[in-house]
C-alpha cells in the first residue's frame, strides 16, 4: 500500500484505519474540535475574555488548532484521489475542494488567515462566527449522524412529500387566518407573509403568545390548525425513526473482509469487490 493511500484511509477513518496510529490521530482531531467548541463558548464570557492571561491562552490554542487543521486540510486534498469515486489528477482534487466536507474544512481555518489581512474589528467579529464550522467537522466522525444522513438520503422522496404537504398546509392556514383576523387585528395580522409567523408557531405547537386569534371563528380554525400540525409533523418523525432503526439492524449484520491485493476492507452487503491494479502499483 502506498503512503498516500495510507494517509487517505487514516484521515477518512475508514474500516482500514480504525486501529493503531490512525485511531489515535482521529481521536486527537475530535478532541481538538471539542476543545475548540469549548474555547468558542468560554470566549464569550466577559470575565474570561477580558483577562489577559486567558486571552493569551485562547490565542495560542487558536494558532495551534489552525495549524493542525491546515495540515489536515492539505493532506486531505493531496490524498483524496485515492477515493475510487474521485478521478485522479488536478480535476479530481478540484472536485473535492468544492465538495461539502472540504468547504466545511476550509471555512474552519479561513477566518484565522483572513483576519491577519484586515484590522477592521467589525469584519473580524463577523468572521469569528465562521469558527463554528469547526464544530460541524465533528459530524465526520459521529457514527450516529452518518446513520441519520443515510436514512434521510434513502427516504428523501417520502420526506420531501411530507414537508411539501406541511408547507402547503402552512400557506393555506395562514392565508385563511389573515382574512379571519385582519379586520380585528390589522397591526398583527397585517399581511399574509406576517401571518405566516402565526402559522409556524401554531403548527409547531410553540405558541409564543405574540399573535393569536380573537374572533370565535379564528379561535376554532386556530385549534384545527394546531391539531393538524401535530399530526403532520409526526409523519416525517416516524419515517426517520423507522429508517434509523432499520439502518441500525442492517449495520449490526454487516461484515467486512480485507482484499489480499489492495488491502481494502470490503462490505459484503455491497457489490462484489474486484481488484484492478492501477498504474501506481
Amino acid at each position: 500500500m502506498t503512503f498516500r493511500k495510507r494517509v487517505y484511509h487514516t484521515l477518512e477513518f475508514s474500516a482500514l484505519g480504525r486501529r493503531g496510529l490512525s485511531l489515535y490521530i482521529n481521536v486527537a482531531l475530535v478532541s481538538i474540535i471539542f476543545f475548540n467548541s469549548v474555547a468558542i463558548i468560554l470566549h464569550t464570557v466577559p470575565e474570561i475574555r477580558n483577562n489577559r492571561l486567558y486571552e493569551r491562552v485562547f490565542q495560542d490554542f487558536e494558532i495551534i488548532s489552525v495549524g493542525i487543521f491546515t495540515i489536515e486540510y492539505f493532506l486531505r486534498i493531496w490524498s483524496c484521489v485515492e477515493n475510487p469515486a474521485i478521478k485522479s489528477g488536478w480535476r479530481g482534487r478540484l472536485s473535492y475542494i468544492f465538495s461539502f466536507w472540504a468547504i466545511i474544512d476550509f471555512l474552519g481555518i479561513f477566518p484565522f488567515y483572513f483576519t491577519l489581512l484586515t484590522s477592521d474589528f467589525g469584519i473580524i467579529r463577523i468572521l469569528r462566527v465562521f469558527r463554528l464550522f469547526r464544530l460541524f467537522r465533528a459530524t465526520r466522525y459521529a457514527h450516529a449522524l452518518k446513520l441519520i444522513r443515510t436514512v434521510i438520503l434513502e427516504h428523501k422522496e417520502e420526506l420531501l412529500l411530507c414537508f411539501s404537504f406541511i408547507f402547503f398546509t402552512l400557506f393555506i392556514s395562514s392565508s385563511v387566518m389573515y382574512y379571519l383576523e385582519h379586520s380585528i387585528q390589522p397591526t398583527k395580522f397585517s399581511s399574509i407573509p406576517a401571518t405566516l409567523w402565526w402559522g409556524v408557531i401554531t403548527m409547531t405547537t410553540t405558541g409564543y403568545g405574540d399573535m393569536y386569534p380573537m374572533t370565535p371563528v379564528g379561535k376554532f380554525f386556530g385549534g384545527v390548525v394546531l391539531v393538524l400540525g401535530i399530526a403532520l409533523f409526526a409523519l416525517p418523525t416516524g419515517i426517520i425513526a423507522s429508517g434509523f432503526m432499520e439502518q441500525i439492524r442492517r449495520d449490526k449484520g454487516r461484515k467486512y473482509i480485507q482484499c489480499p491485493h489492495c488491502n481494502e476492507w470490503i462490505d459484503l452487503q455491497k457489490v462484489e469487490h474486484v481488484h484492478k491494479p492501477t498504474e501506481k502499483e
Side-chain angles (χ1 to χ4, degrees):
M1 179 184 298
T2 62
F3 176 71
R4 187 172 63 185
K5 180 173 288 189
R6 189 172 296 277
V7 170
Y8 168 77
H9 285 292
T10 299
L11 294 177
E12 289 299 323
F13 204 50
S14 62
L16 178 61
R18 294 183 180 178
R19 63 184 187 275
L21 179 61
S22 61
L23 176 62
Y24 298 133
I25 291 176
N26 281 277
V27 169
L29 290 173
V30 173
S31 301
I32 294 173
I33 294 172
F34 171 76
F35 286 118
N36 266 266
S37 63
V38 174
I40 293 173
I41 294 171
L42 294 179
H43 196 260
T44 60
V45 180
E47 293 79 6
I48 297 178
R49 183 177 64 248
N50 298 330
N51 187 296
R52 292 185 178 181
L53 176 61
Y54 291 142
E55 183 65 21
R56 183 55 186 264
V57 172
F58 283 131
Q59 291 178 356
D60 293 342
F61 183 66
E62 176 82 1
I63 294 173
I64 295 173
S65 300
V66 170
I68 294 174
F69 290 149
T70 302
I71 294 173
E72 180 205 4
Y73 176 71
F74 285 106
L75 283 177
R76 287 186 183 276
I77 294 177
W78 174 64
S79 63
C80 69
V81 292
E82 297 295 338
N83 186 340
I86 297 179
K87 297 181 180 179
S88 60
W90 66 269
R91 291 185 178 179
R93 290 190 172 93
L94 188 63
S95 65
Y96 173 78
I97 290 174
F98 290 99
S99 65
F100 173 78
W101 286 117
I103 293 175
I104 292 296
D105 293 340
F106 175 76
L107 291 177
I109 62 177
F110 167 73
F112 174 81
Y113 293 109
F114 190 81
T115 52
L116 299 178
L117 306 176
T118 180
S119 58
D120 189 337
F121 187 71
I123 296 179
I124 293 176
R125 290 185 62 183
I126 294 174
L127 289 175
R128 282 177 177 172
V129 178
F130 283 89
R131 295 187 302 174
L132 296 174
F133 280 97
R134 295 177 195 172
L135 277 66
F136 288 99
R137 292 165 48 86
T139 60
R140 188 195 297 268
Y141 309 94
H143 182 60
L145 294 174
K146 290 180 181 179
L147 286 180
I148 294 176
R149 176 178 177 272
T150 303
V151 170
I152 292 176
L153 291 178
E154 288 185 353
H155 299 274
K156 58 184 178 181
E157 290 82 6
E158 297 93 328
L159 291 173
L160 180 61
L161 181 63
C162 289
F163 282 109
S164 298
F165 190 58
I166 289 174
F167 284 115
F168 176 78
T169 306
L170 173 63
F171 285 116
I172 293 298
S173 61
S174 298
S175 301
V176 173
M177 184 59 70
Y178 165 75
Y179 289 109
L180 292 176
E181 294 292 323
H182 174 67
S183 59
I184 305 298
Q185 305 181 72
T187 56
K188 292 186 177 181
F189 295 86
S190 57
S191 63
I192 293 179
T195 311
L196 283 173
W197 171 245
W198 168 87
V200 170
I201 62 177
T202 301
M203 292 186 64
T204 57
T205 69
T206 304
Y208 287 119
D210 54 343
M211 293 179 67
Y212 53 89
M214 298 181 66
T215 63
V217 179
K219 290 179 180 180
F220 174 78
F221 182 74
V224 173
V225 173
L226 180 63
V227 175
L228 185 62
I230 297 175
L232 289 178
F233 278 98
L235 292 176
T237 303
I239 293 174
I240 295 176
S242 61
F244 188 67
M245 297 304 298
E246 178 185 351
Q247 188 66 31
I248 290 177
R249 288 194 296 268
R250 191 184 307 169
D251 284 354
K252 285 184 177 180
R254 184 165 289 171
K255 296 181 179 179
Y256 295 90
I257 61 172
Q258 190 172 16
C259 175
H261 303 286
C262 60
N263 292 326
E264 293 278 0
W265 284 85
I266 308 159
D267 185 353
L268 294 180
Q269 290 188 359
K270 293 184 178 179
V271 181
E272 182 179 355
H273 174 75
V274 178
H275 174 68
K276 296 180 181 179
T278 62
E279 296 179 358
K280 306 170 189 175
E281 301 175 332

